[in-house]
Amino acid sequence: MKGILIVGSLNMDFVVRVEHLPQRGQTVPGAEFKTLPGGKGANQACAVGRLSRDQTVRMVGCVGADASGEQLRASLRAANVDVAFVRTVTAAATGVALITVEQSGQNQIVVAAGANECLQPAEVIAAIDAAAASHLLLQLESPLETVAAAARHARACGRQVILDPAPARPLDAALLADVDILTPNESEALALLGLTGSDISLDEAPNIARALLAPGPRRVILKLGEKGVWLADETCSRHFAAPRVDAVDVTAAGDCFNGALAAALAEGQTLTEAIHFATTAATLAVTKPGAQDSIPTRPEVEAMLQARSAQSVEVENA
């Protein structure tokens, strides 16, 4: 098998930049406003398409019969993504996301699912069978029964299942048992464990990651933002640092990580190599505004990896 299948959402993002994020009941002045292609599924597909060397990349999802749907398809095609499995529905408009980004790069996002709610288990199962891809990427902006059916069928067919549990919500152990790699960020990890909060320290990360293994995923990659990621499985518990950069916009950084991770694994990189590759790609993504517009190219990621390697050699020889 060769290729990567992404099942998930396609949204049009309405993005406004502000000096600081508003508090409840507060109105703040906005600055630059843009309409950009997004959706967690489409973002991950775009990342795989841009960063893969020779993989076939296919997107499965739904859009409305409107201009936004056509724009989202065009954006994916431009990133070398096959959109034959993206269905147009007339019952709903294309999904949208309202995104507010402050000067620090942090954001607030509200999603109206629209056509994404029309994605059915049967069509996803059919796509998995037809694509015969080695890796399946999932998120939680599609109906949960569809996500669960996709994970279950892919796992039964011997595919590698990577789940980004976003937006945050509790999940059944049955779904998590069909996951090979679970990739929550800090708030998502805490939500999965029934905890509140949005920040996990490096001291807390090993215990949180191990706790997330209990329901059944084979590996957990805990995304910690500028603190890097923490990998945990039955035999390993390890931190991977992220390069230091000035963040402009963190929108889609996690999606970029997942897409890059799948691209690297599908071409035969080791898990360690794939995590370094994905961490570097996500770091580059936060230095640019937007979702799909921020995703780097393969040469950009490889250049930063080479620079990091050279710096490590210099430190060792100092």
Side-chain angles (χ1 to χ4, degrees):
M1 294 180 292
K2 190 174 186 179
I4 300 169
L5 190 69
I6 302 91
V7 172
S9 57
L10 300 95
N11 294 326
M12 188 59 70
D13 291 348
F14 295 88
V15 185
V16 61
R17 301 191 70 84
V18 296
E19 184 174 341
H20 62 85
L21 296 174
Q23 302 298 313
R24 178 180 295 182
Q26 182 184 22
T27 299
V28 300
E32 182 183 32
F33 171 78
K34 289 185 177 181
T35 303
L36 301 168
K40 296 195 73 62
N43 293 342
Q44 292 183 15
C46 183
V48 178
R50 286 191 189 165
L51 296 169
S52 291
R53 187 166 275 139
D54 58 358
Q55 301 292 322
T56 300
V57 185
R58 296 182 174 91
M59 176 78 207
V60 185
C62 294
V63 295
D66 47 39
S68 292
E70 288 305 313
Q71 291 174 36
L72 290 169
R73 276 197 177 93
S75 178
L76 289 176
R77 289 192 194 100
N80 303 311
V81 178
D82 185 333
V83 295
F85 294 122
V86 176
R87 179 167 61 94
T88 299
V89 301
T90 57
T94 297
V96 299
L98 310 179
I99 305 177
T100 306
V101 183
E102 70 176 12
Q103 286 184 343
S104 71
Q106 295 302 313
N107 60 23
Q108 290 177 339
I109 304 175
V110 177
V111 175
N116 294 306
E117 290 290 344
C118 299
L119 187 61
Q120 298 297 311
E123 65 184 306
V124 170
I125 289 171
I128 292 170
D129 290 339
S134 60
H135 290 72
L136 174 70
L137 285 173
L138 297 168
Q139 324 81 37
L140 300 179
E141 285 183 342
S142 303
L144 197 54
E145 65 173 343
T146 301
V147 175
R152 182 169 58 249
H153 189 69
R155 182 68 187 168
C157 295
R159 316 294 199 263
Q160 292 286 303
V161 178
I162 302 174
L163 173 64
D164 187 3
R169 66 172 78 177
L171 295 176
D172 291 339
L175 169 55
L176 294 171
D178 288 321
V179 173
D180 291 287
I181 303 176
L182 183 70
T183 63
N185 66 17
E186 294 165 272
S187 60
E188 293 153 5
L190 293 170
L192 284 171
L193 296 174
L195 304 173
T196 59
S198 60
D199 185 71
I200 297 172
S201 70
L202 285 179
D203 289 337
E204 297 169 319
N207 289 334
I208 294 291
R210 279 195 295 270
L212 290 168
L213 288 170
R218 287 144 191 84
R219 289 189 174 97
V220 169
I221 299 177
L222 179 57
K223 294 182 284 194
L224 300 168
E226 64 183 12
K227 299 187 290 285
V229 304
W230 197 283
L231 166 67
D233 59 25
E234 289 184 353
T235 62
C236 175
S237 182
R238 178 181 173 187
H239 175 241
F240 291 77
R244 303 290 293 181
V245 295
D246 292 326
V248 172
D249 184 354
V250 300
T251 305
D255 297 329
C256 181
F257 180 94
N258 278 46
L261 181 75
L265 290 173
E267 68 184 41
Q269 291 190 35
T270 67
L271 182 60
T272 295
E273 292 169 337
I275 291 175
H276 282 304
F277 183 83
T279 302
T280 302
T283 297
L284 285 167
V286 305
T287 65
K288 301 176 185 178
Q292 294 175 25
D293 285 356
S294 72
I295 295 170
T297 63
R298 178 96 184 205
E300 289 174 327
V301 176
E302 291 179 338
M304 178 173 263
L305 280 169
Q306 290 174 359
R308 293 178 69 187
S309 178
Q311 289 172 357
S312 296
V313 171
E314 288 177 1
V315 170
E316 290 175 359
N317 294 337

